[in-house]
Amino acid sequence: QTLWYYRTKRVFSIAITLLVCCQAAFGWGRVGHATIATVAEDHLTPEAKAIIEEYLKGESIVKYASYADKYKNQLLIDVGFDPIEGKRVTTYPHTFEADQKAVPFKGINDNGRFVKNCVHYIDKLAEELKDHKNLSDSLRFHHIVMIVHFVGDMHCPEHIRYYPDDMSIGKYDITYDGQKTTMHKIWDSQVIATVHPDKTPREVADAIDNCSKKQIAKIAAGTTYDWAADCAKTSKPVHAVPEGAVLTKEYAAENQKLMESQLRKAGYRLAALLNSVLK
């Protein structure tokens, strides 16, 4: 387990037992994150793929797609200021924030209020990873697997806060298919599980990876904040489901196109980002 402090770019490694209990799914859940990583891996350049294979000791990014969830409480950051709410040292944010017009907040400091912004850390990690030849083995690993996860997270519809009116990220009670759950969990895994029951990430990836090279280039164009703006605009209707709503499996069918589009976009954009920095 490792504690990272980015303000000074110093890394403190604390060697303790490597076996920890797997935590509940955040983001897309295991299948969703692995699907995104599978799509991305299929679109890596030979050079980027070889570099990743070297730095991950022969393993695939698919294996580590949920690493940031599993070790969430052990992966900490120094946010660089004393926020009004919370602590200066905190866990990595797995969400981002946009305004009511779906314009993403840039940075993490809103006049002393800590803004949970995974897009900020995607950019920060990617910029540092450009110098991967001069990074330590542990930092190379860390930066790659965190980018893999956070690009996935930013595309999950319930990982967006719309400041100031909807900050819940779906963490309220609803009923789905006769079972009590939360809206957040619906988008973690239940929509995918309903639409693609018993499918492996490889099978889901093969089913959704159907864009032409021209379409892929259009999807992957722009900055990470352009991608965030697209996600915020596209995902906003999901947040109209009220607390206490009763949903059937038809909800998953109605949102299949959105779910698959977000997974697909995340995979193409992740590949584009890794290709651009791993040269």
Side-chain angles (χ1 to χ4, degrees):
Q1 301 159 344
T2 309
L3 177 63
W4 306 92
Y5 290 96
Y6 278 109
R7 189 183 182 201
T8 59
K9 295 186 178 180
R10 297 176 62 192
V11 181
F12 299 85
S13 296
I14 304 175
I16 58 177
T17 179
L18 296 177
L19 296 177
V20 299
C21 295
C22 182
Q23 300 186 27
F26 300 84
W28 283 106
R30 186 191 64 81
V31 173
H33 277 294
T35 296
I36 291 166
T38 300
V39 172
E41 193 167 61
D42 289 344
H43 292 273
L44 292 173
T45 63
E47 183 178 12
K49 193 168 185 178
I51 292 171
I52 289 171
E53 184 175 355
E54 177 187 351
Y55 294 162
L56 299 190
K57 309 301 182 185
E59 299 290 355
S60 165
I61 57 174
V62 178
K63 176 178 179 178
Y64 294 107
S66 292
Y67 181 93
D69 279 344
K70 186 175 181 181
Y71 297 102
K72 182 176 182 179
N73 290 339
Q74 289 77 39
L75 294 163
L76 306 180
I77 49 169
D78 183 341
V79 301
F81 67 101
D82 295 318
I84 295 172
E85 298 179 3
K87 298 179 180 179
R88 174 172 170 148
V89 176
T90 186
T91 57
Y92 272 101
H94 291 228
T95 62
F96 73 92
E97 190 174 292
D99 64 19
Q100 293 303 306
K101 294 182 179 179
V103 177
F105 183 90
K106 294 185 177 180
I108 59 172
N109 187 349
D110 181 18
N111 295 315
R113 179 179 70 93
F114 174 49
V115 177
K116 295 180 179 181
N117 186 2
C118 65
V119 186
H120 171 82
Y121 288 100
I122 293 170
D123 281 351
K124 186 175 182 64
L125 293 166
E127 183 62 30
E128 294 180 3
L129 193 57
K130 289 179 181 178
D131 191 34
H132 59 91
K133 293 179 181 178
N134 294 315
L135 296 179
S136 66
D137 288 346
S138 60
L139 278 179
R140 291 166 177 166
F141 172 86
H142 171 269
H143 284 33
I144 291 171
V145 301
M146 299 302 273
I147 289 171
V148 168
H149 190 85
F150 291 150
V151 171
D153 272 351
M154 70 179 283
H155 285 78
C156 185
E158 283 294 1
H159 269 237
I160 306 167
R161 292 179 167 85
Y162 295 91
Y163 184 82
D165 297 332
D166 181 8
M167 303 289 281
S168 70
I169 57 172
K171 290 192 174 181
Y172 51 80
D173 294 333
I174 64 165
T175 299
Y176 178 74
D177 191 29
Q179 301 294 319
K180 294 294 184 181
T181 184
T182 67
M183 196 63 193
H184 193 93
K185 290 180 181 178
I186 290 293
W187 283 95
D188 274 356
S189 57
Q190 288 170 290
V191 171
I192 299 176
T194 301
V195 174
H196 296 288
D198 303 319
K199 283 188 178 180
T200 66
R202 174 78 268 171
E203 290 170 331
V204 179
D206 288 342
I208 67 173
D209 184 3
N210 51 18
C211 289
S212 67
K213 289 184 178 180
K214 185 176 180 179
Q215 289 171 323
I216 293 171
K218 184 177 180 180
I219 289 169
T223 68
T224 52
Y225 278 102
D226 292 330
W227 302 344
D230 173 62
C231 291
K233 181 179 180 181
T234 303
S235 301
K236 195 168 185 181
V238 169
H239 294 247
V241 177
E243 184 175 1
V246 178
L247 305 177
T248 67
K249 287 186 176 180
E250 288 301 312
Y251 177 82
E254 292 166 359
N255 285 276
Q256 177 176 354
K257 185 176 180 180
L258 172 61
M259 175 268 291
E260 292 180 347
S261 176
Q262 290 302 102
L263 292 174
R264 185 186 303 115
K265 287 178 180 178
Y268 294 156
R269 289 166 175 171
L270 173 58
L273 182 58
L274 292 173
N275 288 338
S276 71
V277 299
L278 294 175
K279 298 178 180 179

